């Protein structure tokens, strides 16, 4: 049986985007000196290209190697940190290893407590696709302590975005639209000018690579990636409609869905049963979920494959 992989292993970006990036790399190798250093905040034309895409201004953006690379840069601002649960578990692990005192806190509790910094993912949180209610998103700007918002799924969702003002800092990455090899991301907000230059130096890609991404974005490369992001979200919606939204953790949007399992069924047994039907998924526990559950993600998965996955998942409930 051919395997449908909804476990989160990112395939290659679409061929058109790959060809464009290769062209951009070749062009910058000829036009930019590999010995040219960049400012710690990033190559200016990339900051400008990103600003245009993110509806922001270059001075409020610094270039990083991605979401995880932002953690050591922001850690000094986050001595006491509430990290959302469930979530992408590398974040609390990294923050803890850098000396932040980390506690895992579910959303409504974390956003109501302003006694320490918070880290959350919006829109379309991994693993359950949850989005903040609009009034909570707006309210983050009034916090006294930093609120770090992971916007890695901004192109997979039509949900409102968090206004990045006051103590809100947004962190982003191309990891979910290009794949983990992109190693390109950003931090944006009012306070980026004050970030440690030394930390930025260890968290940013080489200038030549930054030039290549700037050329890619200027030549509308992100439009090609955005199309795939929208297709992933559409496949996830198809899955959700067929499996039944009442079975899923709600409310949700974007490429990922979390499926709580019926009483006696363990995640490991459910994964075995899905594997026999040609579906590869992941246990929710890898994202801090404390009940037996599966996380499915539809990046690179067609709508017709999403229908097969839904059928296989429904069979777990019979
Ligand atoms: C919510 C979330 N943010 C970020 C990442 C990774 O981003 P980066 O590779 O830019 O650190 C992941 C990875 O799988 C993720 O699930």
């Amino acid at each position: 049986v051919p395997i449908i992989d909804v476990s989160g292993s990112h395939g290659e970006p679409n061929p058109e985007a790959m060809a464009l990036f290769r062209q951009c790399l070749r062009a910058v190798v000829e036009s930019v000196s590999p010995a040219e250093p960049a400012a710690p905040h990033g190559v200016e034309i990339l900051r400008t290209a990103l600003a245009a895409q993110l509806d922001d201004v270059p001075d409020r953006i610094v270039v990083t190697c991605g979401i995880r690379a932002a953690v050591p840069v922001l850690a000094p601002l986050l001595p006491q940190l509430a990290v959302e649960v469930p979530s992408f578990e590398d974040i609390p692990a990294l923050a803890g290893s850098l000396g932040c005192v980390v506690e895992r806190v579910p959303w409504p509790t974390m956003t109501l407590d302003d006694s320490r910094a918070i880290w959350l993912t919006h829109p379309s949180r991994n693993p359950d696709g949850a989005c903040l209610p609009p009034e909570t998103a707006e309210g983050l700007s009034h916090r006294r302590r930093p609120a770090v918002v992971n916007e890695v799924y901004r192109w997979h969702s039509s949900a409102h975005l968090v206004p990045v003002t006051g103590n809100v800092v947004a962190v982003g990455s191309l990891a979910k639209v290009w794949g983990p090899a992109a190693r390109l991301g950003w931090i944006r907000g009012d306070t980026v000018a004050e970030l440690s230059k030394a930390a930025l130096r260890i968290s940013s890609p080489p200038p030549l690579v930054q030039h290549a991404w700037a050329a890619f974005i200027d030549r509308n490369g992100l439009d090609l990636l955005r199309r795939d992001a929208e297709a992933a979200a559409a496949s996830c919606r198809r899955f959700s409609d067929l499996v039944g939204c009442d079975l899923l953790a709600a409310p949700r949007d974007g490429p990922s869905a979390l499926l709580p399992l019926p009483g006696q069924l363990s995640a490991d047994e459910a994964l075995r049963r899905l594997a026999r039907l040609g579906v590869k998924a992941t246990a929710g526990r890898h994202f801090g979920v404390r009940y037996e559950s599966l996380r499915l993600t539809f990046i690179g998965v067609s709508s017709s494959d999403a229908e097969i996955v839904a059928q296989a998942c429904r069979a777990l409930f019979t």
Side-chain angles (χ1 to χ4, degrees), residues 122-136:
H122 169 90
S124 313
R125 170 171 79 176
N126 187 10
D128 55 0
C131 292
L132 290 175
E135 53 296 350
T136 310

Side-chain angles (χ1 to χ4, degrees), residues 171-248:
V171 293
S173 167
L174 298 188
K176 300 291 177 182
V177 288
W178 178 272
R183 308 283 13 111
L184 189 88
W186 58 88
I187 303 172
R188 62 189 184 97
D190 288 342
T191 52
V192 297
E194 293 151 35
L195 296 173
S196 152
K197 293 188 175 57
L200 286 168
R201 290 267 184 225
I202 58 164
S203 299
S204 55
L208 197 67
V209 174
Q210 293 190 40
H211 276 283
W213 282 115
F216 179 80
I217 294 170
D218 281 342
R219 293 171 66 180
N220 302 320
L222 279 187
D223 292 346
L224 303 173
L225 302 181
R226 203 177 283 134
R227 246 177 19 208
D228 292 344
E230 285 162 6
S235 292
C236 190
R237 271 195 303 278
R238 184 76 187 128
F239 164 80
S240 305
D241 289 345
L242 290 181
V243 87
C245 288
D246 50 322
L247 288 186
L248 299 170

Side-chain angles (χ1 to χ4, degrees), residues 8 65-69 84 87-91 121 124-126 150 152-153 172-176 179-180 183-185 287 295:
C65 283
I67 305 291
R68 283 166 287 196
E84 66 192 345
S87 192
F88 171 50
E89 293 292 287
D90 278 8
I91 301 302
T121 307
S124 313
R125 170 171 79 176
N126 187 10
N150 179 351
V152 73
Y153 294 111
S173 167
L174 298 188
K176 300 291 177 182
R183 308 283 13 111
L184 189 88
F287 303 87
R295 197 287 305 256

